[in-house]
Every structure is written in structure tokens, then in C-alpha cells.
Amino acid sequence: MRAVVLKEFGGPLVLTEVETPAPGPGQVLVRVVASGVNPLDIKIRAGKAAHARHNPPAVLGLDLAAVVAEVGPGVTGFEPGDEVYGLTGGVGDLQGSLAEYAAVDARLLARKPESLSLREAAALPLAAITAWEGLVDRSRVGAGQRVLVHGGAGGVGQVAIQFARARGAEVFATGSPRSLDVIARLGATPIDRTSAVVGDYVSEYTGGEGFDVVLDTIGGVNLDLSFSAVRTYTGHVVSVLGWGTHSLAPLSFRGATYSGVFALLPMLTGRGREHHGEILRETAALADEGAVQPIVDPRRFTLETVADAHAAVESGVSTGKIVIDVE
């Protein structure tokens, strides 16, 4: 099969022929149709993601949408011809999705939403799993709550807004000036993070009480701002990039709580993989109800132009998720 191989960190991605894998026990062999590109793919390629290291030579690519070609021993629930999607590889020792075929753990897969194309489905897995773990698993977002999303126009932020609204919450989201229209179209109240003062928008939108849930998808100073924006006593802050050193004093003085999300953990450890499949099934149901719709950049990339796709993500000016057409 054809695959894009990274031979050394920081080096070029090489399109070459490699052996087609065979599905082992508990695995499904899929024919990859589309591969979603995430900023994390760029960091892994550069050797700047020790938490998600994928040692060369390696096939990168975290997200995929595919068609089941063959099921391995012990697999139930899937059969050849099923259209599926998942966060299945590209970290640890798991082959990524920039290849024509991949043998993946069946627990990491779900049938793709019927209402979405395979291209659209490939844009969802990492973002959906991360947003779900933050808002549902950690924060229990529900009706009547006010939710603040830092980075609402990013991959995780867009899905988080839609999840929170689907669960009945009122959503607010920060973003750069050029992203505010996207945030508004998703149904959240946009906040310009380049000019907004945390105390001002807490006062304006919550009467000074603070937001019930704050989801930080940016890290750094935005996590510090989250600690000052959360509701006293009952509020919860959750971050997908809480890797720095932060003062917990603002959070402690509000009597609020914090948790982190590391969506790659089941892939790296082998533990909890069933839950990834569960989240993707829930996401598919919401998509088919019209509550979740990924925004996909209209530009088309192939295995021959993966480097261009990565450059588009690095530029930070895409109009949606970059997806590579593998098939």
C-alpha cells in the first residue's frame, strides 16, 4: 500500500510503498478514505510532542474516516463495507491514517454519522473526544448553565460549543477578531480575546457570578484567565493544554475546581479505549440530529500534498478543519 512516512523528526514526509497490515485479534483493517489534520500532527512531525511521541520511521495521522475491509479475530459489531471513523493512530506505536490501509483497535471506532460524508467525519474524532471528555465527563454540562469556551473557533472549540448547546447550556466563546463570525454562527456569544477584560465580561454575561464551566483550549495565560472567570463555589475549569506552571490562588479563592483532559491516554496506555468508541457513537447521534456539524476547509489535499496540508494548518488561516483525501 501507499503511505506517507516520516523518517526523522523535522524531516520531509515521504510517500512510499509499505506492506499492508493484517488485522490482529480485536482489530479491524480499514481502507482509509480521509485523514483529518490536527495541530498536534505538526508538533509530532517536528519532534516537539514528547507526550505523544511517535518514533520514526512512522506513519502520522491521528484522525480517520474509512471503510472496513476486514475484521480480525474476536471483533463483533463491524463487518466489511461499514463506514467508520475514529482517533486511531499516529502516536505511540500505532500506525497513523496517512496510508491507504490501517489495522486499528476496533474499540476506537464507531460508525460514522449517516448525515456526514467521510470527509466531514474525518474532521471530528480528536476534537469531539477532547470536547466530550472536558464538558461531559469532567464538567457534566447541562441545561441552564453558562459555559465559556476559550478558543471557540478552533477545532476543539467549535465542537465544544455545539456539544454544550446540545446539552442546553448558554455558550460564550473567546476568539480573535477574524474568528468572531464563526463563533456567532455556531450559536455562541463571541468575545474578542484581544481586547476583552475578564472582569468586564464576567460582569456583563454572568452578573459578576462567573461561568459555571470554563473550557480552555489554548493554555498559557488563557488558563489563568479561566481561574478568574469561573463561578464561586460550584464552578469548574477544564483545560486541554494545562501543561504550564500556574497559580491556583484565583481558583482557590473562588472555591472552584479544576481538571485536565488528555485524550491520547487510552491510545498510549491501552486502557479506556472503549470509551472513545462510546463518545464517537454519541457524537454521531448528535450529528444525525443536526446538533453537530464540522466546518471543513474547502481546499483539497492528497497523499502527494500532505506537506502542503501541514503548511496550511501551520499558517493558522484555514477556514475550517484541514482534511486529506487518502483514497
Side-chain angles (χ1 to χ4, degrees):
M1 69 175 182
R2 296 192 309 158
V4 175
V5 177
L6 176 70
K7 296 187 176 181
E8 62 180 2
F9 289 128
L13 296 168
V14 180
L15 180 58
T16 186
E17 291 282 338
V18 300
E19 186 176 352
T20 302
Q27 290 187 325
V28 172
L29 180 68
V30 298
R31 173 170 51 83
V32 182
V33 174
S35 171
V37 184
N38 297 281
L40 180 56
D41 292 305
I42 314 304
K43 293 179 181 179
I44 293 172
R45 176 184 173 184
K48 297 179 179 179
H51 65 291
R53 185 170 291 275
H54 195 37
N55 291 323
V59 176
L60 305 185
L62 299 162
D63 291 333
L64 62 71
V67 178
V68 174
E70 184 181 346
V71 297
V75 173
T76 60
F78 295 108
E79 58 185 30
D82 286 344
E83 295 183 327
V84 296
Y85 73 135
L87 170 64
T88 59
V91 297
D93 60 353
L94 303 177
Q95 181 207 307
S97 55
L98 292 177
E100 292 178 318
Y101 289 89
V104 303
D105 190 326
R107 295 174 294 176
L108 298 171
L109 291 172
R111 286 185 176 82
K112 79 162 184 68
E114 293 182 4
S115 59
L116 301 182
S117 67
L118 284 161
R119 228 177 107 72
E120 291 172 318
L124 280 173
L126 177 59
I129 290 168
T130 302
W132 186 278
E133 289 188 355
L135 292 179
V136 182
D137 293 345
R138 307 288 193 277
S139 307
R140 305 295 181 190
V141 165
Q145 291 187 318
R146 292 188 179 98
V147 174
L148 174 65
V149 178
H150 281 303
V156 175
Q158 290 179 17
V159 180
I161 289 171
Q162 295 178 79
F163 279 167
R165 293 189 70 240
R167 295 177 68 84
E170 183 180 6
V171 188
F172 306 80
T174 65
S176 64
R178 67 178 180 82
S179 71
L180 300 183
D181 286 344
V182 171
I183 290 171
R185 289 201 305 270
L186 291 169
T189 298
I191 300 171
D192 184 349
R193 65 180 176 86
T194 65
S195 61
V197 176
V198 61
D200 291 345
Y201 60 75
V202 167
S203 177
E204 180 179 359
Y205 298 123
T206 74
E209 292 294 324
F211 296 92
D212 297 289
V213 174
V214 182
L215 173 64
D216 165 50
T217 72
I218 300 174
V221 69
N222 283 278
L223 181 51
D224 295 311
L225 294 175
S226 301
F227 293 156
S228 298
V230 72
R231 188 179 184 89
T232 302
Y233 293 129
T234 59
H236 187 71
V237 175
V238 59
S239 179
V240 306
L241 288 173
W243 302 337
T245 300
H246 302 270
S247 171
L248 294 178
L251 185 73
S252 299
F253 289 146
R254 301 179 84 86
T257 56
Y258 168 81
S259 61
V261 170
F262 185 31
L264 303 181
L265 200 58
M267 300 165 70
L268 294 170
T269 67
R271 297 168 55 191
R273 290 184 178 180
E274 295 87 351
H275 189 46
H276 275 199
E278 293 168 357
I279 292 171
L280 293 175
R281 287 191 290 273
E282 294 281 358
T283 300
L286 288 171
D288 288 337
E289 292 169 6
V292 173
Q293 174 66 51
I295 300 175
V296 178
D297 190 287
R299 289 172 289 180
R300 307 299 289 242
F301 301 93
T302 66
L303 289 181
E304 287 83 1
T305 58
V306 169
D308 295 334
H310 281 201
V313 172
E314 287 184 284
S315 73
V317 295
S318 63
T319 58
K321 188 71 170 277
I322 298 290
V323 174
I324 295 168
D325 298 313
V326 175
E327 187 175 67

